[in-house]
Amino acid sequence: MARAAVPGGLMGRLDWRVARLAGHRDETPTARTLLLDVPGWPGHLAGQHVDVRLTAQDGYRAERPYSLAAPSGGDRVQLTVQRIGDGEVSPFLTEEMRIGDPFELRGPIGGWFVWRPADPAPVLLIAGGSGIVPLRAMLRAREEVGSRAPFRLIYSVRTPEDVYYADELRTPRPGVDVRLVYTRTAPDGARTAPGRLGLAELNSHGWPAEFAPNCFVCGPTGFVETVADLLLALGHDARRVRTERFGPA
Ligand SMILES: Cc1cc2nc3c(=O)[nH]c(=O)nc-3n(C[C@H](O)[C@H](O)[C@H](O)COP(=O)(O)OP(=O)(O)OC[C@H]3O[C@@H](n4cnc5c(N)ncnc54)[C@H](O)[C@@H]3O)c2cc1C
């Protein structure tokens, strides 16, 4: 009975669907956004993810989670994948997959690491590397619904070439403050030397804990754990600090 209530038909969110690559765009030398057609996609909230399943000709299967990179929009779904040199799945998705190629996908998955457009509370987004992907979906969702919730994004990257969605993030938007932190090479003219994100940046570019912002932290495991500890040290309420770990540091 519950399955019949799922928007988009009789399929449930944990049934595998066939997705096809409809287009792609390179974000950095090692990250690619995939535009997918997923007939009957039921819609999703910013922050949710999907599972992708690849099946080799000999029947061998590999499955990995990927965040949804844009808000819900009909049967079109976007993912952005960082290529991991010795990885099993990400090199295929970013280098080998051709337009029209089919593969399996299921979702949307996750109900905690989500931004709900009706929530007017301030939002603090903190990303490390590819952890920007679900946070970009939240920024886009804010814009699409015309939310006036004030957003601040702190985005930690190694070098200027590693910034995903660079044009989008450079475009000024009322109520959205974007701060980039470079860990290895800062752009020419930068006022601060490269370095890891620490208390000082969170203090000056985040929201004060008294504002009770919803905090979303996403990236490599070590990054997420460090930032979550810093937010708690700054007095943020643990119930408002939501985290998503993408894997090894
Ligand atoms: C909820 C969730 C959402 C995710 N969303 C995204 C996303 O939007 N974009 C994205 O690019 N990835 C995302 N990931 C990570 C993704 O699921 C895979 O782990 C990643 O693509 C590596 O898979 P692989 O098969 O290429 O590498 P594997 O064959 O699994 O691993 C190869 C080697 O790389 C290391 N490794 C694995 N994952 C990572 C990683 N994330 N960073 C650095 N080293 C790693 C492994 O320890 C191993 O040594 C997400 C993970 C989770 C849990």
Side-chain angles (χ1 to χ4, degrees):
M1 290 295 281
R3 289 157 73 92
V6 173
L10 291 173
M11 290 187 76
R13 64 190 179 87
L14 290 181
D15 290 317
W16 292 100
R17 298 167 191 272
V18 175
R20 280 181 196 278
L21 185 66
H24 52 73
R25 186 181 55 240
D26 288 334
E27 302 292 345
T28 73
T30 55
R32 176 170 280 189
T33 292
L34 309 174
L35 308 173
L36 309 175
D37 275 331
V38 191
W41 180 249
H44 60 267
L45 288 168
Q48 289 187 298
H49 67 272
V50 295
D51 286 335
V52 164
R53 183 164 77 176
L54 304 179
T55 306
Q57 277 177 346
D58 64 2
Y60 173 75
R61 281 178 164 160
E63 202 179 304
R64 299 284 184 278
Y66 290 99
S67 298
L68 290 149
S72 205
D75 289 349
R76 259 305 150 86
V77 162
Q78 285 188 36
L79 310 178
T80 305
V81 179
Q82 169 74 41
R83 184 163 62 253
I84 305 287
D86 59 343
E88 204 171 39
V89 171
S90 61
F92 180 84
L93 294 176
T94 53
E95 289 177 324
E96 290 177 44
M97 201 156 59
R98 300 284 166 256
I99 304 292
D101 279 357
F103 62 97
E104 290 176 293
L105 172 155
R106 68 178 175 186
I109 299 169
W112 171 243
F113 194 82
V114 292
W115 179 68
R116 295 177 192 277
D119 191 338
V123 172
L124 176 57
L125 307 174
I126 306 179
S130 54
I132 188 68
V133 177
L135 310 187
R136 184 260 196 153
M138 294 179 192
L139 285 163
R140 295 269 301 258
R142 174 190 187 274
E143 196 173 341
E144 267 188 28
V145 302
S147 161
R148 297 178 68 182
F151 271 46
R152 287 186 174 176
L153 166 68
I154 304 176
Y155 181 14
S156 169
V157 287
R158 288 182 180 165
T159 74
E161 289 71 43
D162 295 314
V163 179
Y164 292 20
Y165 320 120
D167 289 346
E168 244 173 82
L169 295 179
R170 231 180 270 129
T171 306
R173 292 189 167 75
V176 177
D177 183 70
V178 175
R179 179 64 51 162
L180 287 161
V181 176
Y182 300 93
T183 58
R184 293 205 185 153
T185 313
D188 291 341
R191 271 174 293 172
T192 46
R196 290 192 164 221
L197 181 59
L199 266 185
E201 288 80 21
L202 292 180
N203 231 344
S204 36
H205 306 305
W207 295 108
E210 310 83 85
F211 287 23
N214 291 320
C215 305
F216 296 91
V217 187
C218 186
T221 307
F223 173 88
V224 170
E225 284 168 6
T226 303
V227 171
D229 285 347
L230 293 174
L231 289 172
L232 298 184
L234 286 169
H236 289 273
D237 183 341
R239 287 166 301 184
R240 289 185 177 272
V241 178
R242 296 168 198 226
T243 57
E244 187 95 286
R245 293 161 176 78
F246 275 8

